[in-house]
Amino acid sequence: MGIYQEIDGFFNPESIAVIGASATPGKIGYAVLKNLLEFYEAGGKLYPINPTRDEILGLKCYKSILNVPGSVDMAVIVVRSKMVPQIIDQCGKKGVKNIVIISGGFKELGGKFRDLEAEALEVARKYGIRIIGPNCIGVYDPRTKVDTFFQPKERMLRPKPGNVAFLTQSGTYGIILLEWSAMDELGISKFVSYGNKMDVDEADILMYLKDEPYTEVVGIYLEGLGDGRKFFQAAREFTKKKPLIILRGGWSEAARRAALSHTGFLGGKGRIYEAAFKQAGVIIARTLEELYDMVKALARQKYAKGPRVAMISNGAGPMVQAVDAVSVEGLKLAELESSIKEELRKNLSPFTIVENPVDLTGSATPEDYKVAMDILLDDPNVDMLFVFFVHQNAPMDKSIIDVMKEINKKARDLGKTVLAGAAGGPYTQSLNKEMEKAGIPTYPIPERLVRAAKALYLWGKNVSGES
Amino acid sequence: MGIYQEIDGFFNPESIAVIGASATPGKIGYAVLKNLLEFYEAGGKLYPINPTRDEILGLKCYKSILNVPGSVDMAVIVVRSKMVPQIIDQCGKKGVKNIVIISGGFKELGGKFRDLEAEALEVARKYGIRIIGPNCIGVYDPRTKVDTFFQPKERMLRPKPGNVAFLTQSGTYGIILLEWSAMDELGISKFVSYGNKMDVDEADILMYLKDEPYTEVVGIYLEGLGDGRKFFQAAREFTKKKPLIILRGGWSEAARRAALSHTGFLGGKGRIYEAAFKQAGVIIARTLEELYDMVKALARQKYAKGPRVAMISNGAGPMVQAVDAVSVEGLKLAELESSIKEELRKNLSPFTIVENPVDLTGSATPEDYKVAMDILLDDPNVDMLFVFFVHQNAPMDKSIIDVMKEINKKARDLGKTVLAGAAGGPYTQSLNKEMEKAGIPTYPIPERLVRAAKALYLWGKNVSGES
């Protein structure tokens, strides 16, 4: 069986056993089983395993996986770490091909726990079982409803199906990325939190995602690499086809030690990895917000064909800062054609600042935006359009969403890129969500918008073979 | 009349005239009048001025301010720029002492519009009138309900009364800061958006806020300084009493030009200002989020008595990045006493990582947090406690809020500082809001928490006279 089928097994099982299922709300073994009820309701087979119970959450409970009638494709393990090798052996005998180990208490504690992890792996290898974890929150696939999380749905939003895959060594960061995605209507193809990665690692998953048809962009949060050579080779192959953004934690000396006791990996030395990442075509993010921002840009706008930016707003403050950020990030303010400036002057109020950035001022209406953006997109010197909004201003209204849909379509037809900036309370947030649904990535502050645009530009260079 | 009374007039008028009031929803002159209805309902006198109307929004309308019976303390002007000098002259005759000019169309357009601004100022000086603006959104005081914004309340949240003052050259940034404050339950003392600052500038307002009793911390967004010497002197005096955070936009060459056409000021040259700011005791923010984050920290936790940090979480990922950030920002990971570590080991599960950072792991309950934080705060090597949460985890619940109230009280009694980190969807956001209400500033990503903590540390050095 090839790596594609092996990893695909985690997202497409017909039957799942939860070993260590609990009947007590608040317990991890209860939360995991409960979250898998949607998988069961969608037609999957779901088996709670617990020697002391006959039934949990309306499902028949088994003393051991060996007692389950029929075959089991995948097991989710939530028992104490010292029992895990023996449980894996039972899984092997049952013919299980994929295991997710949620439990911690392995390599991250060092000493004899490190040996326990090695022992568990040895048993798995004997049966050809592939393992994700331990010390993780596991996998999520919104299409097949596989959801091994111990975060109840009323506390953690799940995103809809889409084109983004996130991989993360930290479950916490995984949770945050998924909830941000859900709030922005950003869809997910596959999600893996792999913790100590005793078996399946980022390289394995990347080789799978390279060919997985729903996935168009991948974001990874990484603390330490086990086999660096394997990883960089996989990354290089992956980035020939799809964009890959990486956030690396634990590069400072003190943080490297903290990473060691987190998932048992020493964080990458200093900034040595940085050059290797770049050589492998990886785009580097510096914070979790940036990882998310960049992934969102690439999921919605694909790439930028050049670095030349035109900006427009009805409140100039953010543009002043965006211009600063553009100069820091190596993008460029487009020099507008004089014929374009003439058009703008002719069609807009005399108080409009007709330069790049274009300041429509606080009296601008959605119609003013439309007229101005339509003209700006025709300028051959413009690769990207950054559109900032003060939706709160009295002369604006919700018709701006339809305006932006039209502008986004025109931009796409011209091979140009559109990003938006707006921040505020519930009213602005609801418009930002509409903007996202229309395919325009939207950011609260200009620096974040510009960094996301930089990712589009870097990937554009990759696409054109320029880098 | 001293500067205190002059500036205080903008926040405590008994009567306000809106010159250019409109009866048409969507118009700026309508929005401004409507937002001032709360001032009127609270007992203030409110006069719409418009030569073509008898009544607007149920208020008697006057053809000119000269027709208003009785005195008028303050005028808000929203008419076309060319009419402004003549309007100011009428205000002067009427005895108006404070004017807010919302309208643009002055210095920011250059040429004859620059002359128009000078002319308007000359008229004002003749009568001793103080002016805020033009080209701004004006002032907001949640205690007296003075609210000159043209952003309707259903589109823009207003924060409650509190101890924070924001000053901003950009109205857009002002709107965002106020809505973020409202969502976090962060209270405002005074707010001023001053745009072109033809008369009243940051230095004037700082000298007022230095003695204004509600204001405990000030945040400023600044593009360019008119009279730098005056400003730095005011800042130096201000920071002897209260903390001052500044975000400066427009430092790149291209952005300096953009700033010029925004509010008519050339942005500060290169990074020259930076040293002068620091010398004046100012804390420098790099983005709008950071300005807000730092102000919030200083509004809630006052200062940090030292740089030594202990961290704790039920999901270690963010702590790995926080350790990186601590090393970048010149804070320190506290070396825990061995007796403290012994206490932690004795009282927590064997899977807890008892180091700094402390990893309670995903099975932690609010009680585990309480036990651990209580012990950590007793360590004399700890100045600040960074508490990260995965509220989404099944074993957590809302009782963590009461735990944090107790811990925050203990920390305050010991002169120590507490900041929290958590991110996610609606469930986590609602807990974050409770955390904020309990006086614990809370941040979505560790880098933002650490930068805010840095501001507390810098102000602490100032308070102790160390810097």
Side-chain angles (χ1 to χ4, degrees):
Chain A
M1 201 158 64
I3 185 78
Y4 189 94
Q5 283 71 29
E6 285 178 18
I7 304 299
D8 198 54
F10 287 102
F11 303 104
N12 286 295
E14 287 183 12
S15 48
I16 301 177
V18 178
I19 304 177
S22 163
T24 313
K27 290 280 180 195
I28 288 175
Y30 176 86
V32 170
L33 186 70
K34 194 168 178 205
N35 285 331
L36 280 166
L37 285 178
E38 262 191 71
F39 167 79
Y40 174 74
E41 283 152 16
K45 289 182 183 117
L46 182 60
Y47 306 111
I49 312 293
N50 178 330
T52 69
R53 292 272 165 183
D54 293 329
E55 193 195 288
I56 304 178
L57 284 165
L59 297 168
K60 183 167 166 49
C61 188
Y62 298 89
K63 291 203 184 323
S64 149
I65 191 167
L66 293 169
N67 299 36
V68 173
S71 65
V72 179
D73 294 338
M74 179 160 122
V76 185
I77 297 180
V78 292
V79 300
R80 284 262 164 146
S81 56
K82 65 178 178 189
M83 296 167 61
V84 168
Q86 163 199 348
I87 295 285
I88 296 176
D89 191 66
Q90 291 174 5
C91 288
K93 289 191 175 117
K94 187 67 184 173
V96 168
K97 289 294 162 220
N98 296 85
I99 292 179
V100 176
I101 307 176
I102 305 297
S103 323
F106 292 92
K107 191 161 78 175
E108 78 278 10
L109 296 180
K112 65 178 177 181
F113 295 97
R114 185 173 278 271
D115 301 340
L116 183 66
E117 188 167 309
E119 186 192 341
L121 180 59
E122 205 179 315
V123 180
R125 289 270 155 89
K126 196 172 80 186
Y127 293 104
I129 296 171
R130 300 306 311 256
I131 292 183
I132 283 175
N135 189 22
C136 72
I137 63 169
V139 302
Y140 174 65
D141 184 326
R143 289 183 178 86
T144 62
K145 311 290 182 196
V146 174
D147 177 340
T148 69
F149 300 160
F150 59 90
Q151 288 71 32
K153 285 176 184 162
E154 64 276 16
R155 293 187 183 183
M156 176 189 164
L157 302 174
R158 265 59 166 184
K160 62 177 191 180
N163 62 353
V164 171
F166 283 118
L167 314 182
T168 168
Q169 206 152 353
S170 157
T172 305
Y173 272 3
I175 292 166
I176 298 172
L177 290 167
L178 290 177
E179 288 208 81
W180 285 347
S181 299
M183 289 189 291
D184 274 348
E185 303 271 340
L186 185 68
I188 295 295
S189 58
K190 311 285 169 189
F191 171 89
V192 183
S193 145
Y194 49 83
N196 295 11
K197 51 179 174 181
M198 65 181 261
D199 175 32
V200 171
D201 63 13
E202 305 87 355
D204 295 326
I205 309 171
L206 277 181
M207 292 319 289
Y208 165 69
L209 293 175
K210 175 169 68 73
D211 300 319
E212 198 275 328
Y214 292 118
T215 302
E216 292 178 2
V217 48
V218 173
I220 306 185
Y221 170 71
L222 191 70
E223 281 169 9
L225 287 173
D227 184 345
R229 200 189 165 87
K230 180 183 171 196
F231 175 78
F232 287 112
Q233 196 177 325
R236 246 189 318 271
E237 283 209 37
F238 184 88
T239 60
K240 280 180 197 155
K241 289 185 72 176
K242 303 175 184 180
L244 175 60
I245 327 290
I246 293 185
L247 168 66
R248 201 161 54 79
W251 51 262
S252 68
E253 201 45 44
R256 289 178 71 210
R257 287 194 299 272
L260 186 62
S261 67
H262 178 206
T263 52
F265 285 83
L266 199 56
K269 267 187 207 156
R271 296 203 178 260
I272 289 173
Y273 278 158
E274 203 158 303
F277 278 130
K278 282 187 181 159
Q279 223 176 0
V282 170
I283 298 168
I284 298 170
R286 300 170 305 189
T287 68
L288 189 71
E289 286 177 338
E290 193 165 293
L291 175 67
Y292 176 74
D293 291 345
M294 288 177 160
V295 164
K296 186 168 80 172
L298 285 154
R300 301 236 195 266
Q301 292 279 321
K302 309 310 171 200
Y303 66 90
K305 66 175 182 177
R308 299 167 306 168
V309 172
M311 299 188 199
I312 185 164
S313 183
N314 60 338
M319 295 199 297
V320 170
Q321 299 235 289
V323 172
D324 284 338
V326 156
S327 93
V328 168
E329 299 300 343
L331 302 177
K332 292 191 184 102
L333 268 192
E335 299 276 351
L336 302 182
E337 298 278 327
S338 54
S339 61
I340 294 286
K341 287 196 211 175
E342 201 38 57
E343 275 297 296
L344 287 168
R345 264 188 217 102
K346 227 165 54 191
N347 288 282
L348 294 164
S349 119
F351 294 106
T352 307
I353 314 282
V354 177
E355 278 305 327
N356 185 18
V358 178
D359 183 359
L360 295 171
T361 81
S363 51
T365 62
E367 183 61 26
D368 295 331
Y369 267 99
K370 183 177 163 182
V371 168
M373 292 187 294
D374 200 50
I375 296 169
L376 280 172
L377 281 178
D378 286 332
D379 193 316
N381 304 306
V382 172
D383 302 311
M384 288 191 257
L385 188 58
F386 295 175
V387 192
F388 297 91
F389 301 101
V390 188
H391 291 303
Q392 295 95 334
N393 284 356
M396 290 294 289
D397 62 53
K398 292 185 181 176
S399 69
I400 190 67
I401 300 297
D402 288 328
V403 167
M404 289 307 293
K405 282 180 186 163
E406 245 179 81
I407 289 298
N408 195 33
K409 189 183 170 314
K410 173 167 177 169
R412 208 165 33 225
D413 292 347
L414 292 167
K416 301 188 176 190
T417 303
V418 180
L419 298 99
Y427 178 78
T428 294
Q429 286 173 0
S430 75
L431 285 176
N432 286 353
K433 192 163 182 164
E434 292 302 314
M435 219 57 95
E436 295 282 354
K437 278 159 90 171
I440 300 161
T442 303
Y443 301 93
I445 61 166
E447 291 82 356
R448 290 175 60 180
L449 184 158
V450 173
R451 284 287 294 172
K454 172 79 173 281
L456 287 167
Y457 169 60
L458 290 174
W459 182 241
K461 289 212 289 186
N462 197 322
V463 168
S464 69
E466 219 192 279
S467 67
Chain B
M1 199 160 61
I3 185 78
Y4 189 94
Q5 283 70 28
E6 284 177 17
I7 304 299
D8 198 54
F10 287 102
F11 304 104
N12 286 295
E14 287 183 14
S15 47
I16 301 177
V18 178
I19 304 177
S22 163
T24 312
K27 290 280 180 196
I28 287 175
Y30 176 85
V32 170
L33 186 70
K34 193 167 180 204
N35 285 331
L36 280 166
L37 285 179
E38 264 190 70
F39 168 79
Y40 173 75
E41 283 152 15
K45 290 181 183 115
L46 182 59
Y47 307 110
I49 312 294
N50 178 329
T52 69
R53 292 271 165 183
D54 294 328
E55 192 196 291
I56 304 178
L57 283 164
L59 298 168
K60 183 167 165 48
C61 189
Y62 298 88
K63 291 202 184 325
S64 149
I65 191 166
L66 294 169
N67 299 37
V68 173
S71 66
V72 179
D73 294 337
M74 180 161 121
V76 185
I77 297 181
V78 292
V79 300
R80 285 260 164 146
S81 55
K82 65 178 177 189
M83 298 167 60
V84 167
Q86 162 200 350
I87 295 284
I88 296 176
D89 190 66
Q90 293 173 4
C91 288
K93 290 190 174 119
K94 186 69 186 172
V96 167
K97 288 292 160 225
N98 296 84
I99 293 180
V100 176
I101 307 177
I102 305 297
S103 323
F106 292 92
K107 191 160 78 175
E108 79 279 11
L109 295 180
K112 63 178 178 180
F113 295 99
R114 184 173 280 271
D115 301 339
L116 183 66
E117 188 168 312
E119 186 193 340
L121 180 59
E122 205 180 316
V123 180
R125 288 270 155 89
K126 195 173 79 185
Y127 293 104
I129 297 172
R130 300 306 312 254
I131 293 183
I132 283 175
N135 189 21
C136 72
I137 64 169
V139 304
Y140 174 66
D141 183 326
R143 290 185 177 86
T144 62
K145 311 290 182 195
V146 174
D147 178 340
T148 69
F149 301 159
F150 60 91
Q151 289 70 31
K153 286 176 183 161
E154 63 275 17
R155 294 187 182 183
M156 177 189 165
L157 303 174
R158 264 60 165 183
K160 61 178 192 178
N163 62 353
V164 171
F166 283 118
L167 315 183
T168 169
Q169 205 152 353
S170 157
T172 306
Y173 272 3
I175 292 166
I176 297 172
L177 289 167
L178 291 178
E179 289 208 79
W180 286 347
S181 299
M183 288 189 291
D184 274 348
E185 303 269 342
L186 184 68
I188 295 295
S189 58
K190 309 285 169 191
F191 172 89
V192 183
S193 144
Y194 50 82
N196 295 10
K197 51 180 173 181
M198 65 181 259
D199 175 31
V200 172
D201 63 14
E202 304 87 356
D204 296 324
I205 309 171
L206 277 180
M207 292 319 289
Y208 165 69
L209 293 175
K210 176 169 69 72
D211 299 319
E212 198 276 329
Y214 292 119
T215 302
E216 292 179 1
V217 49
V218 173
I220 305 186
Y221 170 71
L222 191 70
E223 281 169 9
L225 287 173
D227 184 345
R229 200 188 165 88
K230 179 184 171 197
F231 176 79
F232 287 113
Q233 196 178 325
R236 245 190 319 271
E237 282 209 37
F238 184 88
T239 61
K240 280 180 197 155
K241 289 184 71 176
K242 303 175 184 180
L244 174 60
I245 327 290
I246 292 186
L247 168 66
R248 200 163 55 79
W251 50 262
S252 67
E253 201 45 44
R256 288 178 71 211
R257 286 192 300 271
L260 186 61
S261 66
H262 178 206
T263 52
F265 285 82
L266 200 56
K269 266 188 210 159
R271 296 203 178 263
I272 289 172
Y273 278 159
E274 203 158 305
F277 279 132
K278 282 187 181 160
Q279 224 178 358
V282 170
I283 299 168
I284 299 169
R286 300 170 305 190
T287 67
L288 189 71
E289 286 177 338
E290 194 165 294
L291 175 67
Y292 176 74
D293 291 345
M294 288 177 160
V295 165
K296 185 168 82 173
L298 285 155
R300 301 237 194 263
Q301 292 279 320
K302 309 309 170 200
Y303 65 92
K305 65 175 182 177
R308 300 166 305 168
V309 172
M311 299 187 200
I312 185 166
S313 184
N314 61 338
M319 294 199 297
V320 170
Q321 298 235 289
V323 173
D324 284 338
V326 157
S327 93
V328 168
E329 299 300 342
L331 303 177
K332 293 192 184 101
L333 268 191
E335 298 276 353
L336 303 181
E337 297 279 327
S338 55
S339 61
I340 293 285
K341 288 195 209 177
E342 201 38 57
E343 274 299 296
L344 287 168
R345 263 187 219 101
K346 227 165 55 190
N347 289 282
L348 295 165
S349 120
F351 294 105
T352 307
I353 313 283
V354 177
E355 279 304 328
N356 186 18
V358 178
D359 183 358
L360 296 171
T361 81
S363 52
T365 63
E367 183 61 24
D368 294 332
Y369 267 98
K370 183 176 164 182
V371 168
M373 290 186 295
D374 201 50
I375 296 169
L376 280 172
L377 280 178
D378 285 332
D379 193 315
N381 304 305
V382 172
D383 302 311
M384 288 191 256
L385 188 58
F386 295 174
V387 192
F388 296 91
F389 300 101
V390 188
H391 292 302
Q392 296 94 334
N393 284 355
M396 291 294 288
D397 62 52
K398 291 184 182 178
S399 69
I400 190 68
I401 299 297
D402 288 328
V403 168
M404 290 307 293
K405 282 181 186 162
E406 244 178 84
I407 289 298
N408 195 33
K409 189 182 171 316
K410 174 168 177 168
R412 207 165 31 223
D413 292 347
L414 292 167
K416 300 189 177 190
T417 303
V418 181
L419 299 98
Y427 177 77
T428 294
Q429 286 173 0
S430 75
L431 285 176
N432 286 352
K433 191 163 183 165
E434 291 302 314
M435 220 57 96
E436 295 282 354
K437 277 160 90 169
I440 301 161
T442 304
Y443 302 92
I445 62 167
E447 291 82 356
R448 289 175 60 178
L449 184 158
V450 173
R451 284 288 293 172
K454 172 80 174 280
L456 287 167
Y457 169 61
L458 290 174
W459 181 243
K461 288 212 290 186
N462 198 321
V463 168
S464 69
E466 219 192 277
S467 67

